Amino acid sequence: GILQHPDGTVLKQLQPPPRGPREQEFYNKVYDSDCCDSILLELREYLPKYFGVWSPPTAPNDTYLKLEDVTRKFNKPCIMDVKIGQKSYDPYASAEKIQQQVSKYPLMEEIGFLVLGMRVYHVSSDSYETQNQHYGRSLTKETVKDGISKFFHSGYCLRKDVVAASIQKVEKILEWFEGQTQLNFYASSLLFVYEGSCQATTVRLGDVTLAEKRRVPKGLLAGGDVLEYNNNINVINSTENGKIEASVGKGLSKFYALHKKACSKRHHSQLSLKVENSEQDNVWKSSTCITQEHLNGNVLPQLEKVFYHVPAETKESANVEVRMIDFAHVFPSNTRDEGYIYGLKNLITVLQNILDN
């Protein structure tokens, strides 16, 4: 499993040879301070930051990779691990190993990826739903879209803003793969993380726009509507008979994070959520998620229109991370990694289908 260092990084124990040394060599190569290879320098953008190796004082022979905790900045991190590629065995695998890997998920070559696990925060119940690798292996070509869409559902609505942002990030990784012939990746994964909580959302249903901001002072919204902000979720709907307004408060609970294979075991203490705002003071971040408890019945039909017709401007707003992880089977190459590229393209197609439907 993955351990947490007191300084906020995570520790991944080095696997037995040759896998562990190979992964360490990969990180050392990419993060070499003297590296001037533009391909590797760009690759850093898609990996967790690497801080070298670490050994506990009580067990100096145990070696750990010290890595960025990609989930650290999130309040309610929703996490999915997807193995990418048509083959989950490397070119040096024995016939027995090949047979073992193929039998685990015979559809790997056709689908090009495998969901290894997910953990999704449901706003409605203030709890997490967890799926393990058996869930991913149960998905077929016909059910994989619905299987992955479960990761993007808050319990109330499909987070299309997160789907759209995820597509953009996977497309950037695909561009990198299409432009490099140095490395081939086997049994490597993409780690998806997004913010599951909706702390404050304002919906203007008249023109179907959405806005979210962590700290909103009392003031005027566009069109002259007054928003009284009180850490609740506000729905404002202009009608002929006046305004229908509903507010629902949802308290925060402790911070949880996980990584593959440690879904239910690793527990993080509460951490403060960093909110970075590089724009002007009144920049609105968008969200498509809103609590529907106790909302006026007249509002609900119009809320449904909002959930299923996300404005284009919300697509880049979601707080989403997509990082490549697991590099025990990365090998030098002089050709494009067609198996990984195939998997990325298929995954993008599935995500786009989720967004479109």
Side-chain angles (χ1 to χ4, degrees):
I2 300 294
L3 305 177
Q4 176 122 35
H5 191 279
D7 66 7
T9 59
V10 293
L11 303 169
K12 179 181 181 180
Q13 188 163 24
L14 210 63
Q15 299 177 67
R19 291 173 296 166
R22 190 186 295 129
E23 184 164 30
Q24 183 182 352
E25 181 183 356
F26 168 81
Y27 275 113
N28 286 338
K29 180 178 182 180
V30 174
Y31 283 93
D32 188 338
S33 58
D34 296 326
C35 178
C36 55
D37 185 330
S38 60
I39 294 293
L40 298 183
L41 291 174
E42 184 187 347
L43 179 58
R44 293 179 185 180
E45 298 177 28
Y46 313 121
L47 312 182
K49 291 184 178 66
Y50 174 61
F51 302 101
V53 294
W54 179 88
S55 296
T58 53
N61 292 328
D62 289 348
T63 304
Y64 294 81
L65 299 173
K66 201 162 184 283
L67 302 166
E68 173 190 6
D69 181 358
V70 180
T71 70
R72 182 179 174 86
K73 68 179 180 180
F74 295 92
N75 179 47
K76 296 289 185 182
C78 298
I79 303 171
M80 178 170 66
D81 186 326
V82 183
K83 185 185 289 187
I84 305 292
Q86 291 178 283
K87 298 177 180 178
S88 56
Y89 54 88
D90 65 51
Y92 302 98
S94 64
E96 182 182 1
K97 178 70 173 179
I98 292 173
Q99 180 57 40
Q100 178 195 50
Q101 289 298 314
V102 170
S103 64
K104 283 182 178 180
Y105 194 55
L107 291 173
M108 191 79 180
E109 187 166 359
E110 183 178 4
I111 294 177
F113 60 85
L114 166 64
V115 176
L116 290 177
M118 66 173 71
R119 194 178 188 203
V120 189
Y121 176 71
H122 285 173
V123 179
S124 52
S125 59
D126 189 23
S127 62
Y128 281 96
E129 178 185 352
T130 302
Q131 303 288 351
N132 62 21
Q133 56 188 323
H134 299 293
Y135 171 81
R137 289 175 188 160
S138 72
L139 300 177
T140 65
K141 195 174 180 182
E142 290 72 33
T143 63
V144 69
K145 179 175 80 74
D146 291 338
I148 287 184
S149 68
K150 185 186 284 279
F151 173 65
F152 299 101
H153 206 285
S154 70
Y156 281 127
C157 59
L158 181 68
R159 291 290 304 273
K160 288 199 169 188
D161 58 328
V162 176
V163 181
S166 298
I167 290 171
Q168 290 178 349
K169 289 182 179 292
V170 177
E171 284 177 339
K172 290 290 291 180
I173 294 173
L174 174 59
E175 285 177 20
W176 182 85
F177 269 89
E178 289 182 327
Q180 70 90 25
T181 56
Q182 293 187 32
L183 299 168
N184 280 6
F185 294 73
Y186 302 91
S188 184
S189 292
L190 290 184
L191 186 71
F192 291 76
V193 190
Y194 73 88
E195 179 56 64
S197 67
C198 296
Q199 294 183 339
T201 305
T202 299
V203 180
R204 282 186 54 78
L205 297 162
D207 55 4
V208 199
T209 60
L210 299 155
E212 179 196 38
K213 192 170 175 63
R214 302 287 176 193
R215 294 186 181 88
V216 183
K218 252 187 219 183
L220 291 177
L221 295 176
D225 291 318
V226 177
L227 169 63
E228 298 275 338
Y229 181 77
N230 61 353
N231 251 357
N232 292 325
I233 293 171
N234 296 271
V235 180
I236 299 176
N237 177 33
S238 297
T239 66
E240 291 180 1
N241 300 323
K243 290 178 183 174
I244 300 170
E245 182 172 326
S247 297
V248 181
K250 199 70 179 174
L252 299 179
S253 62
K254 290 186 178 179
F255 176 94
Y256 289 95
L258 96 154
H259 187 277
K260 162 181 84 166
K261 300 179 183 174
C263 295
S264 60
K265 297 178 182 177
R266 188 160 67 88
H267 182 184
H268 284 230
S269 60
Q270 188 167 358
L271 298 172
S272 61
L273 179 65
K274 295 180 181 178
V275 181
E276 296 180 359
N277 191 349
S278 60
E279 304 289 336
Q280 299 175 355
D281 291 339
N282 289 326
V283 172
W284 294 80
K285 294 183 180 178
S286 302
S287 171
T288 62
C289 179
I290 187 167
T291 308
Q292 292 185 15
E293 289 178 296
H294 314 305
L295 292 184
N296 188 302
N298 295 331
V299 176
L300 289 175
Q302 297 189 59
L303 279 177
E304 290 175 1
K305 294 179 185 177
V306 174
F307 294 152
Y308 296 106
H309 297 84
V310 184
E313 63 266 26
T314 69
K315 292 184 179 180
E316 298 182 11
S317 65
N319 193 0
V320 178
E321 292 286 353
V322 179
R323 304 287 186 92
M324 296 169 60
I325 58 171
D326 297 339
F327 307 110
H329 303 276
V330 179
F331 296 90
S333 174
N334 56 11
T335 61
R336 293 203 319 174
D337 191 341
E338 297 296 347
Y340 203 105
I341 289 172
Y342 176 90
L344 289 176
K345 286 183 175 180
N346 254 18
L347 180 57
I348 290 170
T349 298
V350 170
L351 294 174
Q352 192 64 54
N353 287 338
I354 293 171
L355 190 63
D356 294 342
N357 297 328

